[in-house]
């Protein structure tokens, strides 16, 4: 004989057993308002809620106009994404920053091949108060869309002159220039650059910094551009072909870590 699942306790039951109003229970179980409840009453409500196994409904609080105390983090839904040190470090930084706050974060994995998310209501659809977006050009048709999401937005990397929301990015031009300086100082004069995908401004800026430094120094360095997509296995195939076609090239600059892993595999396979 199957057992019936006991009904989930409601706020009405907590209110009845604690001998207080529903509004008082709501204030007591909300981190933003519990300071307005007397200590004795708060202890009594907490004890009843714990005994009953009552959990406040986040959806109900959202309908009531309360904040969810949740930050959404938009990541690209791709195979093996969490093997990427870039994404794990981004998430670690977010988790550490929120640790001592009343906020939590929610992963929102979006598939980039779908239609742009320009009209999606992230607040209602995901129950979040703000959003952090990585690789924004994969999800939105233009930078101005980020201003109209209806919630605070922070963009990580891929800077763009049209972005009018908060953002955090490394100095990609400087990174490219440092790579060029290092390889040139090592005596390399035939260098290949493995770029990221066309949508990535990070990649474009790294390549621009690389080329600009070499042009300013007038060292006569030959640069061969190879077009990658930020993924490891395609990079391995590209570098394998490159080694067959341009064996005299002596150095390689990869525009992200995953492509560098693939390139290193190809180089080892060919004894380079």
């Amino acid at each position: 004989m199957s057992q019936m699942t006991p009904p989930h306790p409601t706020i009405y039951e907590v209110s009845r057993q604690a001998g207080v109003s529903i509004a008082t229970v709501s204030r007591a179980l909300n981190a933003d308002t519990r300071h307005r409840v007397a200590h004795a009453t708060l202890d009594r409500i907490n004890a009843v809620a714990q005994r009953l196994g009552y959990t406040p409904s986040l959806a109900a609080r959202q309908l009531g106009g309360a904040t969810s105390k949740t930050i959404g983090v938009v990541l690209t839904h791709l195979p093996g994404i969490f093997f990427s040190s870039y994404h794990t470090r981004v998430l670690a930084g977010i988790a550490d920053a929120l640790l001592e706050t009343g906020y939590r974060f929610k992963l929102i994995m979006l598939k980039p091949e779908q239609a742009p998310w320009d009209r999606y209501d992230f607040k209602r659809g995901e129950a979040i108060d703000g959003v952090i977006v990585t690789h924004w050009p994969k999800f939105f048709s233009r930078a101005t869309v980020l201003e109209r999401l209806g919630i605070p937005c922070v963009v990580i990397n891929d800077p763009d002159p049209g972005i009018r929301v908060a953002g955090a990015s490394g100095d990609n031009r400087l990174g490219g220039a440092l790579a060029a300086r290092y390889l040139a100082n090592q005596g390399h004069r035939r260098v290949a650059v493995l770029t990221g995908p066309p949508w990535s401004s990070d990649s474009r800026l790294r390549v621009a910094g690389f080329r600009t430094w070499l042009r300013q120094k007038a060292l006569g360095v030959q640069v061969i551009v190879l077009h990658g997509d930020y993924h490891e296995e395609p990079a391995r195939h590209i570098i394998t072909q490159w080694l067959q076609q341009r064996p005299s090239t002596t150095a390689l600059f990869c525009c992200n870590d995953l492509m560098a892993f693939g390139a290193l595999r190809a180089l080892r396979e060919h004894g380079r």
Side-chain angles (χ1 to χ4, degrees):
M1 179 182 297
S2 62
Q3 294 183 335
M4 295 290 291
T5 302
H8 184 76
T10 66
I11 192 172
Y12 302 100
E13 185 64 17
V14 176
S15 168
R16 187 183 66 79
Q17 294 199 24
V20 297
S21 68
I22 293 172
T24 301
V25 174
S26 179
R27 281 194 294 271
L29 298 181
N30 187 329
D32 292 334
T33 56
R34 59 190 295 113
H35 66 278
R36 293 159 52 188
V37 181
H39 289 299
T41 304
L42 192 61
D43 290 342
R44 188 163 72 254
I45 293 171
N46 286 339
V48 170
Q50 185 174 5
R51 185 175 71 252
L52 294 176
Y54 173 74
T55 302
S57 168
L58 179 60
R61 286 172 55 189
Q62 284 291 98
L63 289 173
T67 63
S68 65
K69 308 294 280 187
T70 302
I71 305 299
V73 181
V74 173
L75 294 183
T76 313
H77 197 169
L78 295 171
I81 185 173
F82 293 113
F83 290 112
S84 162
S85 61
Y86 168 80
H87 292 98
T88 53
R89 285 176 179 272
V90 166
L91 293 176
I94 294 169
D96 289 348
L98 295 180
L99 188 61
E100 301 300 327
T101 74
Y103 284 81
R104 54 191 161 187
F105 76 85
K106 172 184 180 179
L107 277 180
I108 304 173
M109 306 291 288
L110 300 183
K111 297 180 180 179
E113 66 272 11
Q114 293 180 336
W117 295 78
D118 294 1
R119 298 183 180 278
Y120 185 62
D121 189 336
F122 282 89
K123 182 173 180 63
R124 291 180 63 86
E126 304 295 338
I128 57 177
D129 297 327
V131 64
I132 299 171
V133 182
T134 63
H135 304 317
W136 71 266
K138 297 181 76 68
F139 311 116
F140 303 101
S141 62
R142 56 194 179 278
T144 53
V145 172
L146 300 168
E147 304 172 55
R148 303 197 297 269
L149 295 181
I151 52 177
C153 175
V154 175
V155 171
I156 296 180
N157 288 335
D158 290 302
D160 184 282
I163 292 179
R164 296 291 184 267
V165 298
S169 175
D171 189 335
N172 292 293
R173 284 185 181 274
L174 177 60
L178 292 174
R181 185 181 72 180
Y182 173 79
L183 294 179
N185 288 344
Q186 295 296 311
H188 296 286
R189 294 299 180 265
R190 291 183 298 276
V191 180
V193 176
L194 183 56
T195 73
W199 57 261
S200 173
S201 59
D202 287 353
S203 174
R204 292 196 299 273
L205 291 169
R206 290 165 191 163
V207 175
F210 190 89
R211 284 183 174 278
T212 299
W213 190 92
L214 292 175
R215 186 169 58 251
Q216 290 173 345
K217 299 301 179 182
L219 298 174
V221 176
Q222 179 187 7
V223 178
I224 301 166
V225 176
L226 308 173
H227 299 284
D229 64 357
Y230 278 165
H231 299 303
E232 181 174 348
E233 191 58 25
R236 187 178 74 85
H237 290 297
I238 292 169
I239 299 306
T240 296
Q241 293 179 346
W242 163 67
L243 290 170
Q244 295 168 351
Q245 297 169 3
R246 302 276 187 144
S248 61
T249 309
T250 61
L252 173 65
F253 169 41
C254 296
C255 283
N256 87 331
D257 289 347
L258 285 179
M259 292 192 302
F261 296 149
L264 287 170
R265 287 172 56 201
L267 291 168
R268 283 195 293 265
E269 290 166 0
H270 288 78
R272 295 287 294 270

